[in-house]
Amino acid sequence: MKQELGKVIEVFIPQEYKNNKLIDVMDIKNIGFKVMTDNGIKEIIQEQNEFNSNIMKNDTVLTTEQTISNKKFIDIELYEVSNE
């Protein structure tokens, strides 16, 4: 597992195709992020949920990369600094 902090530089709705036809943007369930890290720009596309729908441009995020059963997964979550 590899975790890395980054800054969101773009939030976008990715294009999706079904039966070789472009799906209307209102029917797309995925959300995409371009995140600037120390190792370059990462593009992350996930199904939209209550956690990643709160991530905005310029937010600091934590990305987690891991391989499970030979399949690569990348998770993204909002990183909030505690001021205690």
Side-chain angles (χ1 to χ4, degrees):
M1 177 170 46
K2 177 182 170 188
Q3 292 187 313
E4 192 170 29
L5 287 176
K7 182 177 180 179
V8 177
I9 58 173
E10 183 180 348
V11 179
F12 62 95
I13 304 297
Q15 291 186 339
E16 285 185 50
Y17 292 86
K18 185 174 185 178
N19 298 326
N20 293 326
K21 292 187 178 185
L22 184 62
I23 296 175
D24 186 88
V25 71
M26 296 302 292
D27 296 323
I28 295 175
K29 295 180 173 102
N30 289 339
I31 187 169
F33 303 94
K34 287 189 181 177
V35 179
M36 176 62 75
T37 68
D38 289 340
N39 295 318
I41 297 174
K42 289 184 181 181
E43 186 172 284
I44 301 168
I45 297 176
Q46 297 182 327
E47 186 170 332
Q48 190 169 355
N49 60 42
E50 64 184 282
F51 303 109
N52 61 22
S53 63
N54 292 320
I55 298 173
M56 311 272 179
K57 183 177 179 181
N58 295 321
D59 281 347
T60 300
V61 293
L62 179 67
T63 61
T64 304
E65 292 183 47
Q66 54 188 331
T67 303
I68 302 171
S69 299
N70 293 324
K71 190 168 184 177
K72 184 178 177 182
F73 293 93
I74 301 177
D75 292 320
I76 185 171
E77 61 185 277
L78 192 57
Y79 182 79
E80 296 183 29
V81 178
S82 176
N83 291 333
E84 295 178 13

Coordinates of all heavy atoms in Angstrom, one line a residue:
M1 N 0.8 -1.2 0.0 CA 0.0 0.0 0.0 C 0.9 1.2 0.0 O 1.9 1.3 0.7 CB -0.9 0.0 1.2 CG -1.8 1.2 1.3 SD -3.1 1.2 2.6 CE -2.3 0.5 4.0
K2 N 0.5 2.2 -0.8 CA 1.3 3.4 -1.0 C 0.3 4.6 -0.8 O -0.7 4.7 -1.5 CB 1.9 3.5 -2.3 CG 2.7 4.8 -2.6 CD 3.3 4.8 -4.0 CE 3.8 6.1 -4.4 NZ 4.2 6.2 -5.8
Q3 N 0.6 5.5 0.2 CA -0.2 6.7 0.5 C 0.6 7.9 0.1 O 1.8 8.0 0.3 CB -0.7 6.7 1.9 CG -1.6 5.6 2.2 CD -2.2 5.8 3.6 OE1 -1.5 6.0 4.6 NE2 -3.5 5.6 3.7
E4 N -0.1 8.9 -0.4 CA 0.6 10.1 -0.8 C -0.4 11.3 -0.7 O -1.6 11.2 -1.1 CB 1.0 9.9 -2.3 CG 2.0 10.9 -2.8 CD 2.5 10.5 -4.2 OE1 1.8 9.8 -4.9 OE2 3.6 10.9 -4.5
L5 N 0.1 12.4 -0.3 CA -0.7 13.6 -0.2 C -0.6 14.4 -1.5 O 0.5 14.3 -2.2 CB -0.2 14.6 0.9 CG -0.5 14.2 2.3 CD1 0.2 15.1 3.3 CD2 -2.0 14.1 2.6
G6 N -1.6 15.1 -1.9 CA -1.6 15.8 -3.1 C -2.7 16.9 -3.1 O -3.4 17.0 -2.2
K7 N -2.6 17.8 -4.1 CA -3.6 18.9 -4.2 C -4.4 18.7 -5.5 O -3.9 18.4 -6.6 CB -2.8 20.2 -4.3 CG -3.7 21.4 -4.4 CD -2.9 22.7 -4.4 CE -3.8 23.9 -4.5 NZ -3.1 25.2 -4.5
V8 N -5.7 18.8 -5.3 CA -6.6 18.6 -6.5 C -6.5 19.8 -7.4 O -6.7 21.0 -7.0 CB -8.1 18.5 -6.0 CG1 -9.0 18.3 -7.2 CG2 -8.2 17.2 -5.1
I9 N -6.2 19.6 -8.7 CA -6.0 20.7 -9.6 C -7.2 20.7 -10.6 O -7.4 21.7 -11.3 CB -4.7 20.6 -10.4 CG1 -4.5 19.3 -11.1 CG2 -3.5 20.8 -9.4 CD1 -3.3 19.2 -12.0
E10 N -8.0 19.6 -10.7 CA -9.2 19.6 -11.5 C -10.1 18.5 -11.1 O -9.7 17.4 -10.7 CB -8.7 19.3 -13.0 CG -9.9 19.3 -14.0 CD -9.4 19.1 -15.4 OE1 -8.2 19.0 -15.7 OE2 -10.3 18.8 -16.2
V11 N -11.4 18.8 -11.1 CA -12.5 17.9 -10.8 C -13.3 17.9 -12.1 O -13.6 18.9 -12.7 CB -13.4 18.3 -9.6 CG1 -14.5 17.3 -9.4 CG2 -12.5 18.5 -8.4
F12 N -13.6 16.7 -12.6 CA -14.3 16.6 -13.9 C -15.3 15.4 -13.9 O -15.2 14.5 -13.1 CB -13.3 16.5 -15.0 CG -12.4 15.3 -15.0 CD1 -12.7 14.2 -15.8 CD2 -11.3 15.3 -14.3 CE1 -11.9 13.1 -15.8 CE2 -10.4 14.2 -14.3 CZ -10.8 13.1 -15.0
I13 N -16.2 15.4 -14.9 CA -17.1 14.3 -15.2 C -16.5 13.6 -16.4 O -16.5 14.1 -17.5 CB -18.5 14.8 -15.5 CG1 -19.1 15.6 -14.3 CG2 -19.4 13.6 -15.8 CD1 -19.2 14.9 -13.0
P14 N -16.0 12.3 -16.2 CA -15.4 11.6 -17.3 C -16.5 11.2 -18.3 O -17.6 10.9 -18.0 CB -14.8 10.4 -16.6 CG -15.6 10.2 -15.4 CD -16.0 11.6 -15.0
Q15 N -16.1 11.1 -19.6 CA -16.9 10.5 -20.6 C -17.1 9.0 -20.4 O -16.1 8.3 -20.1 CB -16.4 10.8 -22.0 CG -16.4 12.3 -22.3 CD -16.0 12.6 -23.8 OE1 -15.3 11.8 -24.4 NE2 -16.4 13.7 -24.3
E16 N -18.3 8.6 -20.6 CA -18.6 7.1 -20.6 C -19.3 6.7 -21.8 O -20.1 7.4 -22.3 CB -19.4 6.8 -19.3 CG -18.7 6.8 -18.0 CD -19.5 6.3 -16.9 OE1 -20.2 5.3 -17.0 OE2 -19.6 7.1 -15.9
Y17 N -19.0 5.5 -22.2 CA -19.7 4.9 -23.4 C -20.4 3.6 -23.0 O -20.0 2.9 -22.2 CB -18.7 4.6 -24.5 CG -18.0 5.8 -25.1 CD1 -16.9 6.4 -24.5 CD2 -18.6 6.4 -26.2 CE1 -16.3 7.5 -25.0 CE2 -18.0 7.6 -26.8 CZ -16.9 8.1 -26.2 OH -16.3 9.2 -26.7
K18 N -21.6 3.4 -23.7 CA -22.3 2.2 -23.5 C -22.8 1.8 -24.9 O -23.4 2.6 -25.6 CB -23.5 2.4 -22.6 CG -24.3 1.1 -22.3 CD -25.4 1.4 -21.3 CE -26.0 0.1 -20.9 NZ -27.1 0.3 -19.8
N19 N -22.4 0.5 -25.3 CA -22.7 0.1 -26.6 C -22.1 1.0 -27.7 O -22.8 1.3 -28.7 CB -24.2 -0.1 -26.9 CG -24.8 -1.2 -25.9 OD1 -24.1 -2.1 -25.6 ND2 -26.0 -1.0 -25.5
N20 N -20.9 1.5 -27.5 CA -20.2 2.4 -28.4 C -20.9 3.7 -28.6 O -20.6 4.4 -29.5 CB -19.9 1.7 -29.7 CG -18.9 0.6 -29.6 OD1 -18.0 0.6 -28.8 ND2 -19.1 -0.5 -30.4
K21 N -21.8 4.1 -27.7 CA -22.4 5.4 -27.7 C -22.1 6.2 -26.5 O -22.2 5.6 -25.4 CB -24.0 5.2 -27.9 CG -24.3 4.6 -29.2 CD -25.8 4.7 -29.4 CE -26.2 4.1 -30.8 NZ -27.6 4.2 -31.1
L22 N -21.9 7.5 -26.7 CA -21.6 8.3 -25.5 C -22.8 8.5 -24.7 O -23.9 8.8 -25.2 CB -21.1 9.7 -26.1 CG -20.6 10.7 -25.0 CD1 -19.4 10.2 -24.2 CD2 -20.3 12.0 -25.7
I23 N -22.6 8.3 -23.4 CA -23.7 8.4 -22.4 C -23.9 9.9 -22.1 O -23.0 10.6 -22.0 CB -23.4 7.6 -21.1 CG1 -23.3 6.1 -21.4 CG2 -24.5 7.9 -20.1 CD1 -22.9 5.3 -20.2
D24 N -25.2 10.3 -22.0 CA -25.5 11.7 -21.6 C -24.9 12.0 -20.2 O -24.9 11.1 -19.3 CB -27.0 11.9 -21.5 CG -27.4 13.3 -21.3 OD1 -27.5 14.1 -22.2 OD2 -27.5 13.7 -20.1
V25 N -24.3 13.2 -20.1 CA -23.6 13.5 -18.8 C -24.5 13.4 -17.6 O -24.1 13.1 -16.5 CB -23.1 15.0 -18.9 CG1 -24.2 16.0 -18.9 CG2 -22.1 15.2 -17.9
M26 N -25.8 13.5 -17.7 CA -26.8 13.4 -16.6 C -26.9 12.0 -16.1 O -27.3 11.7 -15.0 CB -28.2 13.9 -17.0 CG -28.1 15.4 -17.3 SD -27.5 16.5 -16.0 CE -28.8 16.3 -14.8
D27 N -26.5 11.0 -16.9 CA -26.6 9.6 -16.6 C -25.2 9.0 -16.1 O -25.2 7.8 -15.7 CB -27.1 8.8 -17.8 CG -28.5 9.2 -18.2 OD1 -29.3 9.4 -17.3 OD2 -28.7 9.2 -19.4
I28 N -24.2 9.8 -16.1 CA -22.9 9.3 -15.6 C -22.8 9.3 -14.1 O -23.2 10.2 -13.5 CB -21.8 10.2 -16.2 CG1 -21.8 10.0 -17.8 CG2 -20.4 9.8 -15.7 CD1 -20.8 10.9 -18.5
K29 N -22.3 8.2 -13.6 CA -22.2 8.0 -12.1 C -20.8 8.2 -11.6 O -20.6 8.0 -10.4 CB -22.7 6.6 -11.8 CG -24.2 6.4 -12.1 CD -24.7 5.1 -11.7 CE -26.2 5.0 -11.9 NZ -26.6 4.3 -13.0
N30 N -19.8 8.4 -12.5 CA -18.4 8.6 -12.1 C -18.0 10.0 -12.0 O -18.6 10.9 -12.5 CB -17.5 7.9 -13.1 CG -17.6 6.4 -13.0 OD1 -18.1 5.8 -12.0 ND2 -17.3 5.7 -14.1
I31 N -16.9 10.2 -11.2 CA -16.3 11.5 -11.0 C -14.8 11.4 -11.1 O -14.3 10.3 -10.8 CB -16.7 12.1 -9.6 CG1 -16.2 13.6 -9.5 CG2 -16.2 11.3 -8.5 CD1 -16.8 14.3 -8.3
G32 N -14.2 12.4 -11.7 CA -12.7 12.3 -11.9 C -12.0 13.4 -11.2 O -12.5 14.5 -11.0
F33 N -10.8 13.1 -10.9 CA -9.9 14.1 -10.2 C -8.5 14.0 -10.8 O -8.0 13.0 -11.1 CB -9.7 13.7 -8.7 CG -11.0 13.6 -7.9 CD1 -11.7 12.4 -7.8 CD2 -11.6 14.8 -7.4 CE1 -12.8 12.3 -7.1 CE2 -12.8 14.7 -6.7 CZ -13.4 13.4 -6.6
K34 N -7.9 15.2 -11.0 CA -6.5 15.3 -11.3 C -5.8 15.9 -10.1 O -6.2 16.9 -9.6 CB -6.3 16.2 -12.6 CG -6.7 15.5 -13.8 CD -6.3 16.3 -15.1 CE -6.8 15.6 -16.3 NZ -6.5 16.3 -17.5
V35 N -4.9 15.1 -9.6 CA -4.2 15.4 -8.3 C -2.7 15.6 -8.6 O -2.1 14.7 -9.1 CB -4.5 14.3 -7.3 CG1 -3.8 14.6 -6.0 CG2 -5.9 14.0 -7.1
M36 N -2.2 16.8 -8.1 CA -0.8 17.0 -8.2 C -0.1 16.5 -7.0 O -0.4 16.9 -5.9 CB -0.5 18.5 -8.4 CG 1.0 18.9 -8.4 SD 1.9 18.2 -9.8 CE 1.3 19.3 -11.1
T37 N 0.9 15.6 -7.2 CA 1.6 15.0 -6.1 C 3.1 15.3 -6.3 O 3.5 15.9 -7.3 CB 1.4 13.5 -6.0 OG1 2.0 12.9 -7.1 CG2 -0.1 13.1 -5.9
D38 N 3.9 14.9 -5.4 CA 5.4 15.1 -5.5 C 5.9 14.3 -6.7 O 7.0 14.5 -7.2 CB 6.1 14.7 -4.3 CG 5.9 15.7 -3.1 OD1 5.5 16.9 -3.4 OD2 6.1 15.4 -2.0
N39 N 5.1 13.2 -7.1 CA 5.6 12.3 -8.2 C 4.8 12.6 -9.5 O 4.8 11.8 -10.4 CB 5.3 10.9 -7.8 CG 6.2 10.5 -6.6 OD1 7.4 10.8 -6.6 ND2 5.7 9.8 -5.7
G40 N 4.2 13.8 -9.6 CA 3.5 14.1 -10.8 C 2.0 14.2 -10.7 O 1.5 14.1 -9.5
I41 N 1.3 14.2 -11.8 CA -0.2 14.3 -11.8 C -0.8 12.9 -11.9 O -0.4 12.1 -12.7 CB -0.7 15.2 -13.0 CG1 -0.2 16.6 -12.8 CG2 -2.2 15.2 -13.0 CD1 -0.5 17.5 -14.0
K42 N -1.7 12.6 -11.0 CA -2.5 11.4 -11.0 C -3.9 11.7 -11.4 O -4.5 12.6 -11.0 CB -2.5 10.7 -9.6 CG -1.2 10.2 -9.1 CD -1.5 9.5 -7.8 CE -0.1 9.0 -7.3 NZ -0.3 8.3 -6.0
E43 N -4.4 10.8 -12.3 CA -5.8 11.0 -12.7 C -6.6 9.8 -12.0 O -6.2 8.6 -12.2 CB -6.0 10.9 -14.2 CG -7.4 11.2 -14.7 CD -7.5 11.3 -16.1 OE1 -7.2 12.4 -16.7 OE2 -8.0 10.4 -16.8
I44 N -7.6 10.2 -11.3 CA -8.4 9.2 -10.5 C -9.8 9.3 -10.9 O -10.4 10.4 -10.9 CB -8.2 9.4 -9.0 CG1 -6.7 9.3 -8.6 CG2 -9.1 8.4 -8.2 CD1 -6.5 9.8 -7.2
I45 N -10.4 8.2 -11.3 CA -11.8 8.1 -11.7 C -12.5 7.1 -10.9 O -12.0 5.9 -10.8 CB -12.0 7.8 -13.2 CG1 -11.4 8.9 -14.0 CG2 -13.5 7.6 -13.5 CD1 -11.4 8.7 -15.5
Q46 N -13.6 7.5 -10.2 CA -14.3 6.6 -9.3 C -15.8 6.8 -9.4 O -16.2 7.8 -9.9 CB -14.0 6.9 -7.8 CG -12.6 6.7 -7.4 CD -12.4 7.0 -5.9 OE1 -13.0 7.9 -5.4 NE2 -11.5 6.3 -5.3
E47 N -16.5 5.8 -8.9 CA -18.0 6.0 -8.8 C -18.2 7.1 -7.8 O -17.6 7.0 -6.7 CB -18.7 4.7 -8.5 CG -20.2 4.8 -8.5 CD -20.9 3.5 -8.4 OE1 -20.3 2.5 -8.8 OE2 -22.0 3.5 -7.9
Q48 N -19.1 8.0 -8.1 CA -19.3 9.1 -7.1 C -20.1 8.6 -5.9 O -21.0 7.7 -6.0 CB -20.2 10.2 -7.8 CG -20.3 11.4 -7.0 CD -20.9 12.6 -7.8 OE1 -21.1 12.5 -8.9 NE2 -21.1 13.7 -7.1
N49 N -19.6 9.0 -4.7 CA -20.2 8.6 -3.4 C -20.2 9.8 -2.5 O -19.8 10.9 -2.8 CB -19.5 7.4 -2.8 CG -18.1 7.7 -2.5 OD1 -17.7 8.7 -2.0 ND2 -17.2 6.7 -2.8
E50 N -20.8 9.6 -1.3 CA -20.9 10.7 -0.3 C -19.6 11.3 0.1 O -19.5 12.4 0.5 CB -21.7 10.3 0.9 CG -21.1 9.2 1.7 CD -21.9 8.7 2.8 OE1 -22.0 9.4 3.8 OE2 -22.6 7.7 2.7
F51 N -18.5 10.5 0.0 CA -17.2 11.0 0.5 C -16.4 11.8 -0.6 O -16.0 12.9 -0.4 CB -16.3 9.8 0.9 CG -17.0 9.0 2.0 CD1 -17.5 7.7 1.7 CD2 -17.1 9.5 3.3 CE1 -18.1 7.0 2.7 CE2 -17.8 8.8 4.3 CZ -18.2 7.5 4.0
N52 N -16.4 11.2 -1.8 CA -15.6 11.9 -2.9 C -16.4 13.1 -3.5 O -15.8 13.9 -4.2 CB -15.1 10.9 -3.9 CG -16.1 10.2 -4.7 OD1 -17.3 10.6 -4.7 ND2 -15.8 9.1 -5.2
S53 N -17.7 13.1 -3.3 CA -18.5 14.3 -3.8 C -18.2 15.6 -3.1 O -18.6 16.6 -3.5 CB -20.0 13.9 -3.9 OG -20.4 13.7 -2.6
N54 N -17.6 15.5 -1.9 CA -17.2 16.7 -1.2 C -15.8 17.2 -1.5 O -15.4 18.2 -0.9 CB -17.3 16.4 0.3 CG -18.8 16.1 0.8 OD1 -19.7 16.8 0.3 ND2 -19.0 15.2 1.6
I55 N -15.1 16.6 -2.4 CA -13.8 17.0 -2.7 C -13.8 18.0 -3.8 O -14.5 17.8 -4.8 CB -12.9 15.8 -3.1 CG1 -12.8 14.8 -2.0 CG2 -11.5 16.3 -3.6 CD1 -12.1 13.5 -2.3
M56 N -13.2 19.2 -3.6 CA -13.2 20.3 -4.5 C -11.8 20.6 -5.0 O -10.8 20.2 -4.5 CB -13.8 21.5 -3.8 CG -15.0 21.3 -3.1 SD -16.4 21.6 -4.2 CE -17.8 21.3 -3.1
K57 N -11.8 21.4 -6.1 CA -10.5 21.9 -6.6 C -9.8 22.7 -5.5 O -10.4 23.4 -4.7 CB -10.8 22.9 -7.8 CG -9.5 23.4 -8.5 CD -9.8 24.2 -9.6 CE -8.6 24.8 -10.3 NZ -8.9 25.6 -11.4
N58 N -8.5 22.5 -5.4 CA -7.5 23.1 -4.5 C -7.6 22.4 -3.1 O -6.8 22.8 -2.2 CB -7.8 24.6 -4.3 CG -7.4 25.4 -5.6 OD1 -6.5 25.0 -6.3 ND2 -8.2 26.4 -5.9
D59 N -8.4 21.4 -2.9 CA -8.4 20.6 -1.6 C -7.1 19.8 -1.6 O -6.6 19.3 -2.6 CB -9.6 19.7 -1.5 CG -10.9 20.4 -1.1 OD1 -10.8 21.6 -0.7 OD2 -11.9 19.8 -1.3
T60 N -6.6 19.6 -0.3 CA -5.6 18.6 -0.1 C -6.2 17.2 0.1 O -7.2 17.1 0.9 CB -4.7 19.0 1.1 OG1 -4.2 20.3 0.9 CG2 -3.6 18.0 1.4
V61 N -5.7 16.2 -0.5 CA -6.3 14.9 -0.5 C -5.2 13.9 -0.2 O -4.0 14.1 -0.4 CB -7.0 14.5 -1.8 CG1 -8.2 15.4 -2.0 CG2 -6.1 14.6 -3.0
L62 N -5.6 12.7 0.4 CA -4.7 11.6 0.6 C -5.1 10.5 -0.4 O -6.3 10.1 -0.5 CB -4.9 11.1 2.0 CG -4.0 9.8 2.4 CD1 -2.5 10.2 2.4 CD2 -4.4 9.3 3.7
T63 N -4.2 10.1 -1.3 CA -4.4 9.0 -2.2 C -3.8 7.7 -1.7 O -2.7 7.8 -1.1 CB -3.9 9.3 -3.6 OG1 -2.4 9.5 -3.5 CG2 -4.5 10.5 -4.2
T64 N -4.5 6.6 -1.8 CA -4.0 5.3 -1.4 C -4.0 4.4 -2.6 O -5.1 4.1 -3.1 CB -4.9 4.8 -0.2 OG1 -4.9 5.7 0.8 CG2 -4.3 3.5 0.3
E65 N -2.9 3.9 -2.9 CA -2.8 2.9 -4.0 C -2.5 1.5 -3.4 O -1.6 1.4 -2.6 CB -1.6 3.2 -5.0 CG -1.9 4.5 -5.8 CD -0.7 4.8 -6.8 OE1 -0.3 3.8 -7.5 OE2 -0.3 5.9 -6.8
Q66 N -3.2 0.5 -3.8 CA -2.9 -0.8 -3.4 C -3.4 -1.8 -4.5 O -4.2 -1.5 -5.3 CB -3.7 -1.1 -2.1 CG -5.1 -0.9 -2.0 CD -5.7 -1.0 -0.6 OE1 -5.2 -1.7 0.2 NE2 -6.7 -0.3 -0.4
T67 N -2.8 -3.0 -4.4 CA -3.1 -4.1 -5.3 C -3.7 -5.2 -4.5 O -3.2 -5.7 -3.6 CB -1.8 -4.6 -6.1 OG1 -1.2 -3.5 -6.7 CG2 -2.2 -5.7 -7.1
I68 N -4.9 -5.6 -4.9 CA -5.7 -6.7 -4.3 C -6.0 -7.7 -5.4 O -6.7 -7.3 -6.4 CB -6.9 -6.2 -3.6 CG1 -6.5 -5.2 -2.5 CG2 -7.7 -7.4 -3.0 CD1 -7.7 -4.4 -1.9
S69 N -5.6 -8.9 -5.2 CA -5.9 -10.0 -6.2 C -5.4 -9.6 -7.6 O -6.2 -9.7 -8.6 CB -7.3 -10.4 -6.2 OG -7.7 -10.9 -5.0
N70 N -4.2 -9.0 -7.7 CA -3.6 -8.5 -9.0 C -4.4 -7.4 -9.7 O -4.3 -7.2 -10.9 CB -3.4 -9.7 -10.0 CG -2.4 -10.7 -9.5 OD1 -1.4 -10.3 -8.8 ND2 -2.6 -11.9 -9.7
K71 N -5.3 -6.7 -8.9 CA -6.0 -5.6 -9.5 C -5.6 -4.3 -8.7 O -5.6 -4.3 -7.5 CB -7.5 -5.8 -9.4 CG -8.3 -4.8 -10.1 CD -9.8 -5.3 -10.2 CE -10.5 -4.3 -11.1 NZ -11.9 -4.7 -11.3
K72 N -5.3 -3.3 -9.4 CA -4.8 -2.0 -8.8 C -6.0 -1.1 -8.5 O -6.9 -0.9 -9.3 CB -3.9 -1.3 -9.8 CG -3.3 0.0 -9.2 CD -2.4 0.6 -10.2 CE -1.8 1.9 -9.7 NZ -1.0 2.6 -10.7
F73 N -6.0 -0.6 -7.2 CA -7.1 0.3 -6.7 C -6.4 1.6 -6.3 O -5.4 1.5 -5.7 CB -7.8 -0.4 -5.6 CG -8.6 -1.6 -5.9 CD1 -8.1 -2.8 -5.8 CD2 -9.9 -1.4 -6.4 CE1 -8.8 -4.0 -6.1 CE2 -10.7 -2.5 -6.7 CZ -10.1 -3.8 -6.6
I74 N -7.1 2.7 -6.6 CA -6.6 4.0 -6.0 C -7.8 4.6 -5.4 O -8.9 4.8 -6.0 CB -6.1 4.9 -7.2 CG1 -5.0 4.3 -7.9 CG2 -5.7 6.3 -6.6 CD1 -4.4 5.1 -9.1
D75 N -7.7 4.9 -4.1 CA -8.7 5.6 -3.3 C -8.3 7.1 -3.1 O -7.1 7.4 -3.0 CB -8.9 4.9 -2.0 CG -9.6 3.6 -2.1 OD1 -10.4 3.4 -3.0 OD2 -9.2 2.6 -1.4
I76 N -9.2 7.9 -2.9 CA -9.0 9.3 -2.7 C -9.9 9.8 -1.5 O -11.0 9.4 -1.4 CB -9.2 10.2 -3.9 CG1 -8.8 11.7 -3.7 CG2 -10.6 10.1 -4.4 CD1 -8.8 12.5 -4.9
E77 N -9.3 10.5 -0.6 CA -10.1 11.1 0.5 C -9.6 12.4 0.9 O -8.4 12.8 0.8 CB -10.1 10.1 1.7 CG -8.7 9.9 2.3 CD -8.7 8.9 3.4 OE1 -9.1 9.3 4.6 OE2 -8.5 7.7 3.2
L78 N -10.5 13.3 1.4 CA -10.2 14.6 1.8 C -9.3 14.5 3.0 O -9.5 13.8 3.9 CB -11.5 15.3 2.1 CG -11.4 16.8 2.3 CD1 -10.9 17.6 1.1 CD2 -12.8 17.4 2.7
Y79 N -8.2 15.3 3.0 CA -7.2 15.3 4.0 C -7.4 16.6 4.8 O -7.2 17.7 4.3 CB -5.8 15.3 3.5 CG -4.7 15.2 4.6 CD1 -4.5 14.0 5.2 CD2 -4.0 16.3 4.9 CE1 -3.5 13.9 6.2 CE2 -3.0 16.3 5.9 CZ -2.8 15.1 6.5 OH -1.8 15.0 7.5
E80 N -7.8 16.5 6.1 CA -8.0 17.7 6.9 C -7.0 17.7 8.0 O -6.8 16.7 8.7 CB -9.4 17.6 7.5 CG -10.5 17.7 6.4 CD -11.9 17.7 7.0 OE1 -12.1 18.2 8.1 OE2 -12.8 17.2 6.3
V81 N -6.4 18.8 8.2 CA -5.3 19.0 9.2 C -6.0 19.4 10.5 O -6.9 20.3 10.6 CB -4.3 20.1 8.8 CG1 -3.3 20.3 9.9 CG2 -3.7 19.7 7.5
S82 N -5.7 18.7 11.6 CA -6.3 19.0 12.9 C -5.5 20.1 13.5 O -4.3 20.2 13.5 CB -6.1 17.7 13.8 OG -6.6 18.0 15.1
N83 N -6.2 21.1 14.1 CA -5.6 22.3 14.7 C -5.7 22.1 16.2 O -6.0 23.1 16.9 CB -6.3 23.5 14.3 CG -6.1 23.8 12.8 OD1 -5.1 23.5 12.3 ND2 -7.0 24.5 12.2
E84 N -5.4 21.0 16.8 CA -5.4 20.8 18.2 C -4.1 21.3 18.9 O -3.1 21.2 18.4 CB -5.6 19.3 18.5 CG -7.0 18.9 18.1 CD -7.2 17.4 18.3 OE1 -6.4 16.8 19.1 OE2 -8.1 16.8 17.8

